[in-house]
């Protein structure tokens, strides 16, 4: 059993997930840059794509970052975010 | 291999096949007053962290109207591709440039602009509300200019004793200049979110914020209205708040973007207005609505434009050409640039980086 855990440990450490956040109040292209920078500043976030047209931020991050951390980052831009989905990514 | 260098020499805007004049018959018949001539130079040296990313820049260019004429238009750039277009829903004149590789990203745009004082003849206005199709377009709501709900409620309240479109415009202008104030803490010209301003009673703002509320209220009661995004060029005869230059007519106009407004009256055509500069004079000169200068400015800016400013376009909540990663653009009074899908901060000229100067021919 221990052997399996040791073998799985690297996978657990490097597991990623995709988190989709709705930021409905974004109203101009500059808002997307502000939200993107705020989310990228969260430790463990690897990539962020923010789209004004859909008002969605799609974040790729290491596993285990809680909703509150993402939403607080969005809040620093003056907007409220809502988590839409989050799911694990397969390597 | 050196990148291709674009040099466009002496291309008159009105003569170009891609830039067509948008002058309506009514605009062309407006009386022309004092003429001023300005040489304008826009310099770009784009800066961003992702130096090798695909970089796209859209620059607003002045529109050709009865009150401003462009000549000696030139641009030079080391861009991979650059051209002028007005292919968008508002025919907003745009210089587009893109850089596909790393290295410096340079663009310089120069032109001469002749401006004519605008003085609307309001005695020609009729009460008709049959508008041409291109004018009726400016009755429609946009994302930032709603015409229903609380906006309409407020507009109806302000105009309850007004019968004609001119009366309604006067009442709304009086209300906006009485109730809205300039807030210098707002970044740039402001976002111009009239719906939010009225719903949340945010009466402080800058030129786009104030003009947008003015426009939304007018449209809500059936008077066509629009913002015009542009930039100050030189000195004002009223106050430094409305524009300034040195004794030789030189003005550093980076950050001088300024949004004005117009409304349409049958018989009189598009009527120039500037409720935002009334608020700016009040704040800058530390005055109230009762001071003689403010009274004069307030009266003047209902129907007149002192043309130490030029207009770019009336575009709101629209999509640029070629299509950017982020859309729609809420207004196009500033240069707009993207590196991949990231937007450069057009409110930060030094970081962007761009600088503009204007030299008036005295």
């Amino acid at each position: 059993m221990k052997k399996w855990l040791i073998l799985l440990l690297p996978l657990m450490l490097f597991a990623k997930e995709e988190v989709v956040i709705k930021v409905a109040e974004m109203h101009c292209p500059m808002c997307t840059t502000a939200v993107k920078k705020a989310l990228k500043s969260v430790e463990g976030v690897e990539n962020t794509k923010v789209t004004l047209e859909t008002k969605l931020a799609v974040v790729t991050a290491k596993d285990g970052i809680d909703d509150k951390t993402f939403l607080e980052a969005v809040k620093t831009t003056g907007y409220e975010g809502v988590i839409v989905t989050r799911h694990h990514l397969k390597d | 291999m050196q990148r291709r260098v674009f040099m466009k020499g002496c291309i008159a805007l009105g003569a170009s096949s891609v830039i067509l004049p948008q002058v309506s018959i009514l605009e062309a018949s407006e009386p022309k007053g004092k003429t001023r001539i300005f040489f304008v130079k826009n310099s770009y040296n784009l800066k961003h962290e992702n130096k090798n990313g695909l970089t796209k820049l859209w620059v607003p260019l002045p529109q050709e109207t009865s009150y401003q004429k462009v000549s000696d238009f030139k641009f030079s750039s080391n861009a991979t591709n650059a051209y002028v277009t007005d292919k968008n829903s508002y025919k907003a004149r745009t210089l587009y440039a893109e850089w596909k590789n790393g290295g410096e990203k340079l663009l310089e745009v120069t032109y001469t602009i002749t401006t004519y004082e605008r003085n609307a003849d309001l005695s020609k206005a009729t009460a008709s509300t049959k508008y041409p199709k291109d004018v009726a377009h400016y009755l429609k709501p946009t994302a930032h200019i709603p015409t229903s709900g609380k906006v309409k409620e407020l507009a109806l309240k302000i105009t309850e004793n007004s019968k004609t479109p001119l009366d309604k415009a006067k009442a709304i202008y009086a209300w906006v200049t009485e109730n809205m104030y300039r807030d210098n803490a707002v970044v740039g010209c402001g976002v111009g979110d009239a719906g939010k301003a009225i719903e949340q009673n945010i009466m402080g703002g800058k030129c786009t914020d104030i003009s947008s509320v003015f426009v939304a209220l007018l449209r809500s009661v059936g008077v066509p209205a629009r913002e015009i995004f542009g930039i100050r060029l030189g000195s004002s005869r009223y106050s430094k708040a409305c524009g300034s230059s040195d004794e030789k007519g030189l003005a550093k106009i980076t950050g001088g973007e300024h949004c004005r407004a117009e409304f349409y009256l049958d018989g009189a055509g598009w009527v120039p207005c500037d409720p935002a500069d009334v608020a700016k004079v009040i704040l800058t000169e530390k005055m109230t609505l009762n001071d003689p200068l403010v009274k004069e400015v307030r009266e003047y800016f209902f129907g007149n434009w002192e043309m130490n400013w030029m207009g770019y376009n009336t575009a709101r909540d629209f999509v640029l050409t070629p299509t950017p990663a982020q859309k729609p653009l809420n207004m196009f009074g500033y240069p707009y640039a993207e590196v991949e899908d990231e937007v450069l901060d057009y409110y930060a000229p030094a970081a962007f980086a761009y600088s503009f100067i204007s030299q008036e021919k005295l």
Side-chain angles (χ1 to χ4, degrees):
Chain A
M1 182 67 183
K2 273 183 184 174
K3 265 186 182 176
W4 281 110
L5 274 174
I6 289 164
L7 286 170
L8 283 170
L9 193 59
L11 290 175
M12 289 162 74
L13 282 173
F14 299 109
K16 292 178 199 172
E17 65 178 338
E18 185 182 87
V19 183
V20 179
I21 306 165
K22 182 90 177 176
V23 189
E25 292 173 339
M26 287 194 298
H27 49 69
C28 69
M30 283 291 298
C31 305
T32 62
T33 300
V35 170
K36 185 171 183 168
K37 282 184 177 170
L39 287 167
K40 276 178 90 174
S41 71
V42 173
E43 199 180 335
V45 167
E46 290 181 3
N47 194 27
T48 308
K49 187 174 175 67
V50 185
T51 309
L52 180 64
E53 200 168 19
T54 58
K55 299 186 190 301
L56 293 175
V58 181
V59 182
T60 309
K62 73 174 185 183
D63 227 348
I65 301 171
D66 61 17
D67 289 359
K68 196 180 163 189
T69 304
F70 291 121
L71 299 182
E72 279 183 353
V74 172
K75 208 167 187 174
T76 62
T77 65
Y79 304 125
E80 297 287 339
V82 176
I83 304 286
V84 179
T85 59
R86 53 190 308 167
H87 68 270
H88 295 283
L89 294 173
K90 288 175 186 172
D91 286 334
Chain B
M1 186 178 143
Q2 275 195 328
R3 257 182 273 158
R4 214 169 141 196
V5 176
F6 286 85
M7 292 293 291
K8 301 278 177 183
C10 301
I11 300 168
L13 273 175
S16 164
S17 60
V18 285
I19 317 165
L20 300 171
Q22 299 175 57
V23 184
S24 75
I25 293 164
L26 281 163
E27 281 177 331
S29 68
E30 282 181 8
K32 289 171 184 174
K34 190 185 170 193
T35 303
R36 296 175 76 168
I37 299 170
F38 301 89
F39 170 76
V40 179
K41 183 163 91 174
N42 298 349
S43 305
Y44 299 84
N45 183 0
L46 270 59
K47 312 272 185 202
H48 49 80
E49 289 169 11
N50 183 5
K51 287 178 184 170
N52 296 321
L54 173 62
T55 303
K56 298 178 176 181
L57 171 66
W58 294 257
V59 174
L61 297 176
Q63 59 185 355
E64 191 83 14
T65 69
S66 61
Y67 58 83
Q68 61 181 42
K69 302 289 179 195
V70 180
S71 57
D72 302 327
F73 173 80
K74 294 175 194 171
F75 70 87
S76 61
S77 176
N78 63 352
T80 319
N81 188 18
Y83 56 89
V84 174
T85 179
D86 67 352
K87 286 183 181 170
N88 53 72
S89 56
Y90 284 87
K91 295 191 183 332
R93 284 178 179 161
T94 309
L95 173 56
Y96 172 74
E98 67 180 24
W99 291 262
K100 288 182 176 166
N101 303 311
E104 283 192 309
K105 296 163 181 77
L106 305 170
L107 173 68
E108 187 173 280
V109 187
T110 59
Y111 48 86
T112 298
I113 184 152
T114 304
T115 65
Y116 306 88
E117 171 103 6
R118 287 190 77 186
N119 310 110
D121 185 353
L122 298 176
S123 69
K124 290 182 178 173
T126 78
S128 170
T129 54
K130 286 181 182 171
Y131 302 115
K133 195 180 170 187
D134 62 325
V135 171
H137 170 79
Y138 293 98
L139 286 168
K140 291 177 187 171
T142 77
H144 288 96
I145 309 287
T147 56
S148 57
K150 288 197 172 178
V151 178
K152 185 155 189 166
E153 278 175 35
L154 177 61
L156 288 172
K157 192 178 167 189
I158 293 167
T159 58
E160 61 188 350
N161 297 318
S162 308
K163 287 178 184 171
T164 66
L166 176 58
D167 290 342
K168 289 176 185 177
K170 278 182 183 171
I172 288 169
Y173 181 77
W175 187 90
V176 169
T177 50
E178 275 167 25
N179 289 278
M180 295 198 77
Y181 62 92
R182 183 175 171 89
D183 180 356
N184 272 341
V186 167
V187 177
C189 290
V191 170
D193 190 342
K196 186 178 176 184
I198 291 170
E199 277 170 25
Q200 299 182 18
N201 197 30
I202 303 167
M203 290 296 113
K206 282 197 181 162
C207 50
T208 304
D209 302 313
I210 295 171
S211 291
S212 298
V213 168
F214 179 68
V215 165
L217 291 171
L218 281 162
R219 287 189 193 181
S220 299
V221 289
V223 181
R226 60 192 185 189
E227 304 99 318
I228 301 193
F229 300 92
I231 193 162
R232 299 181 201 278
L233 293 168
S235 60
S236 163
R237 61 176 175 265
Y238 291 109
S239 165
K240 283 187 177 176
C242 304
S244 62
S245 63
D246 69 13
E247 68 281 359
K248 291 177 181 170
L250 179 69
K252 291 177 182 174
I253 58 171
T254 312
E257 287 84 359
H258 176 52
C259 173
R260 287 177 159 177
E262 283 180 318
F263 63 92
Y264 188 90
L265 296 176
D266 179 69
W270 284 106
V271 178
C273 269
D274 198 340
D277 261 3
V278 178
K280 193 174 183 192
V281 170
I282 289 171
L283 181 73
T284 309
E285 303 286 355
K286 298 181 175 64
M287 290 179 175
T288 70
L289 281 172
N290 295 320
D291 282 290
L293 174 66
V294 177
K295 279 185 179 175
E296 188 183 349
V297 165
R298 192 181 180 204
E299 190 179 329
Y300 176 80
F301 277 130
F302 185 83
N304 305 282
W305 277 353
E306 176 191 17
M307 288 303 290
N308 60 337
W309 167 96
M310 66 174 167
Y312 292 139
N313 58 71
T314 59
R316 288 237 59 183
D317 303 308
F318 77 118
V319 180
L320 288 162
T321 296
T323 307
Q326 302 296 350
K327 58 182 189 290
L329 190 63
N330 64 324
M331 55 91 186
F332 190 37
Y334 289 82
Y336 178 74
E338 291 180 349
V339 182
E340 302 296 348
D341 65 342
E342 196 164 312
V343 181
L344 299 193
D345 185 353
Y346 39 80
Y347 292 135
F352 193 104
Y354 61 82
S355 66
F356 306 153
I357 58 162
S358 164
Q359 173 66 60
E360 184 166 8
K361 187 179 173 185
L362 299 176

